[in-house]
Amino acid sequence: MAVTRTVSVPAVPMGLRRAFTSFALAAAVSLAAPAGIPSAALARGPESLADLSEQVIDAVVNISASTTVETRNRALPQLPPGTPFEDLFEEFFNRRGQGDNGTRQRRSNSLGSGFVIDASGIVVTNNHVIGDANEISVIFNDGTKLKAEIIGKDSKLDLAVLRVKPDKPLKAVKFGDSDKLRIGDWVIAIGNPFGLGGSVSAGIVSARNRNIDQGPYDNYIQTDAAINKGNSGGPLFNMNGEVVGINTAILSPSGGSVGIGFAVPSSLAAPTIEQLREFGETRRGWLGVRIQGVDDATAEALNLGRARGALVAGIDEKGPAKPAGLEVGDVIVRFDGKDVRESRDLPRMVASLPVGKEVEVVIVRKGKELTKTVKLGRLEDGEKQASAAPGEPEKPLVKSALGLELSSLNDELKRRFNIKEGLKGVVVTRVDPNSAAADKRIQAGDLIVEVGQEPVNTPADVSKRLEALKKEGKKSALLLVANAQGEVRFVAVSME
């Protein structure tokens, strides 16, 4: 009779910015073949993982990170003079170190996992494991404990590279090719769950290319190998003993085990780690565009045939895209020889390439494919430039549809809606609350800049363009809408 036995571990919150919770450990025996089905038809795991585990476990380490922070002491309660027991209150709070408004130091500790990638003492872990730690220790499988220094860290991929100074060469592991992983391949995770170092769990690759909205380059491997609090930063191995992922996050609405863990694929992690080792920082490629997704209505309006690519909604004035000839309204469908299936693919493609590389970019502009060559800049320089630029932070862009009252732009409307100088277009003065425009959150003070990729300056221009699009047989009109600060977005509006 087939039996599955589960040993549960109490859930412990991670206390980090990600929604990390704990997975329960589970050991399952093989299922007996149902009558009439050959046993060979059932999926079988390896008979034993002992040899593989023994081969790599000495390269997996525990990470202990300590952070000392200053906290302000609580002041004594404000008591009226002569209050009974006033002396007792003062003595009580002074004993607890709360009798003044000074500060005191508080020490917090976190535990995680990591692995050695260079026998000289190079260790990889998650950035969130070490955080802003003042002191980091690496603990090896034989109990050896060494102080570690930070070589570099990257918050976007949640990676950190450490260095220790061992007396002898360490056991190290190599990265494998995560792009070769298939759904259903066996993997093992080794780490330090709940402080229980050297723990091995096994499972399969449940899915690939997962986006969990944790960063700009989300492309996680999903696995059902048990990952718990403390496994973060540990390796996910393939059956050849190669690191194909770095265990980073889990999904668990209940806080208990639901069998969904996520690992940063080695194809993303390895190049970043090399940059951190060489430069102490990342040096990612930068295109200098602001993009948005392409839905079915937008694809129809742009003659794309199907929803694909990344729609350029903004061009950085000092970025590489502008001198290369890219324009607002272009749809990037191919980058460096690879198809851009959806907008979230593009940032990852760009960031993976070296700074200064000349890249062919295929765009669709007004229904025609064009090829541009862009010399990539450095993302970090673009971020510094953006942070140094005056003005308010970017706000969510609005969408528009029909059901609008429009007016030509004038000084009175500029003052009323606080519209930025230099903007052009047709002002939305009222939105019908029962219209599709209201559902799309377009609001008074927004400007319609283009209709069907043609500029408009008056309400009459908008009407003419809509009529022309209808005569062309279009079902949707593509509007370029700007808010009062000049931030723009494309929205496909049904005209039926």
Side-chain angles (χ1 to χ4, degrees):
M1 178 179 179
V3 179
T4 300
R5 182 183 178 188
T6 303
V7 181
S8 298
V9 182
V12 180
M14 290 290 282
L16 300 167
R17 65 182 179 87
R18 287 185 168 88
F20 294 102
T21 50
S22 63
F23 271 150
L25 293 172
V29 300
S30 300
L31 295 174
I37 301 179
S39 59
L42 294 177
R44 290 182 177 178
E47 291 185 2
S48 174
L49 297 171
D51 289 341
L52 175 58
S53 301
E54 186 177 347
Q55 172 188 338
V56 298
I57 198 168
D58 286 339
V60 183
V61 299
N62 303 338
I63 306 290
S64 175
S66 300
T67 306
T68 302
V69 296
E70 288 189 345
T71 58
R72 183 171 295 278
N73 292 333
R74 289 168 50 193
L76 281 170
Q78 298 299 310
L79 303 173
T83 299
F85 311 115
E86 181 178 0
D87 292 340
L88 292 178
F89 272 108
E90 183 175 355
E91 182 181 356
F92 172 76
F93 279 95
N94 282 338
R95 283 179 180 176
R96 299 189 63 179
Q98 298 175 0
D100 55 52
N101 288 319
T103 59
R104 59 178 176 174
Q105 290 188 332
R106 181 173 60 84
R107 191 178 183 85
S108 63
N109 297 290
S110 64
L111 295 175
S113 306
F115 55 99
V116 180
I117 61 169
D118 189 308
S120 67
I122 305 299
V123 176
V124 172
T125 186
N126 278 148
N127 180 53
H128 79 257
V129 169
I130 62 170
D132 297 319
N134 309 113
E135 185 177 304
I136 304 169
S137 297
V138 175
I139 306 164
F140 294 84
N141 197 38
D142 62 2
T144 302
K145 185 175 182 179
L146 297 175
K147 298 292 183 184
E149 61 175 327
I150 300 172
I151 295 178
K153 52 186 183 177
D154 173 38
S155 60
K156 289 184 174 67
L157 280 183
D158 197 8
L159 298 176
V161 180
L162 311 176
R163 177 188 287 116
V164 296
K165 297 179 179 179
D167 295 331
K168 58 182 180 180
L170 301 173
K171 171 67 178 180
V173 288
K174 296 181 179 180
F175 283 108
D177 187 353
S178 59
D179 290 340
K180 293 182 179 179
L181 284 178
R182 298 186 302 163
I183 296 173
D185 279 348
W186 283 88
V187 287
I188 66 169
I190 305 181
N192 183 31
F194 301 104
L196 302 172
S199 295
V200 180
S201 56
I204 62 168
V205 174
S206 305
R208 297 180 55 199
N209 306 316
R210 284 298 196 212
N211 177 17
I212 59 174
D213 294 323
Q214 294 300 310
Y217 311 123
D218 280 16
N219 192 35
Y220 290 99
I221 300 166
Q222 181 183 325
T223 178
D224 65 352
I227 300 171
N228 296 270
K229 179 181 182 292
N231 270 107
S232 290
L236 188 71
F237 290 104
N238 61 18
M239 292 296 101
N240 295 322
E242 300 168 326
V243 179
V244 289
I246 300 173
N247 301 318
T248 299
I250 65 173
L251 176 66
S252 181
S254 66
S257 173
V258 294
I260 300 178
F262 302 100
V264 179
S266 60
S267 59
L268 279 179
T272 301
I273 289 167
E274 283 304 309
Q275 289 182 4
L276 294 176
R277 289 184 66 179
E278 184 175 356
F279 306 114
E281 60 184 0
T282 56
R283 298 188 178 183
R284 294 187 169 101
W286 178 48
L287 188 56
V289 297
R290 181 163 51 82
I291 60 173
Q292 67 179 74
V294 178
D295 57 20
D296 290 337
T298 304
E300 191 271 339
L302 291 171
N303 293 324
L304 288 176
R306 58 184 173 82
R308 59 191 173 113
L311 178 58
V312 178
I315 301 283
D316 192 298
E317 289 297 320
K318 298 182 180 180
K322 189 173 181 63
L326 270 68
E327 299 177 359
V328 172
D330 292 342
V331 180
I332 300 174
V333 295
R334 195 167 178 81
F335 184 84
D336 195 33
K338 298 179 181 178
D339 290 335
V340 180
R341 294 176 299 174
E342 52 185 312
S343 60
R344 76 181 185 94
D345 292 339
L346 185 62
R348 188 170 61 247
M349 291 177 172
V350 177
S352 67
L353 297 178
V355 176
K357 180 176 180 179
E358 292 191 348
V359 180
E360 282 194 351
V361 182
V362 179
I363 62 172
V364 175
R365 178 182 296 169
K366 297 183 178 180
K368 297 181 180 179
E369 279 199 0
L370 303 172
T371 300
K372 303 290 184 179
T373 300
V374 181
K375 185 177 182 180
L376 297 181
R378 183 182 173 189
L379 176 62
E380 291 76 9
D381 292 339
E383 290 174 336
K384 290 176 184 177
Q385 171 187 307
S387 64
E392 297 182 2
E394 184 175 339
K395 297 179 180 179
L397 298 174
V398 297
K399 297 181 179 180
S400 85
L402 302 179
L404 311 170
E405 287 186 5
L406 306 171
S407 175
S408 297
L409 184 61
N410 56 36
D411 291 339
E412 191 276 329
L413 290 176
K414 286 181 181 178
R415 287 192 299 272
R416 187 202 304 180
F417 296 116
N418 196 25
I419 296 173
K420 184 179 178 181
E421 283 296 328
L423 295 183
K424 295 181 179 180
V426 181
V427 184
V428 176
T429 57
R430 182 181 176 276
V431 182
D432 183 348
N434 297 317
S435 68
D439 294 338
K440 301 260 185 172
R441 295 186 302 166
I442 193 167
Q443 57 188 358
D446 292 334
L447 291 91
I448 297 179
V449 181
E450 293 181 2
V451 177
Q453 296 188 287
E454 293 289 342
V456 291
N457 295 303
T458 68
D461 291 341
V462 175
S463 298
K464 288 177 182 178
R465 284 298 298 146
L466 291 175
E467 288 300 321
L469 292 173
K470 288 178 181 178
K471 290 179 180 179
E472 293 173 9
K474 296 287 186 183
K475 297 179 180 179
S476 301
L478 189 69
L479 306 185
L480 179 61
V481 181
N483 64 15
Q485 289 75 44
E487 298 158 343
V488 297
R489 178 167 182 155
F490 286 97
V491 179
V493 182
S494 174
M495 297 187 294
E496 295 182 337

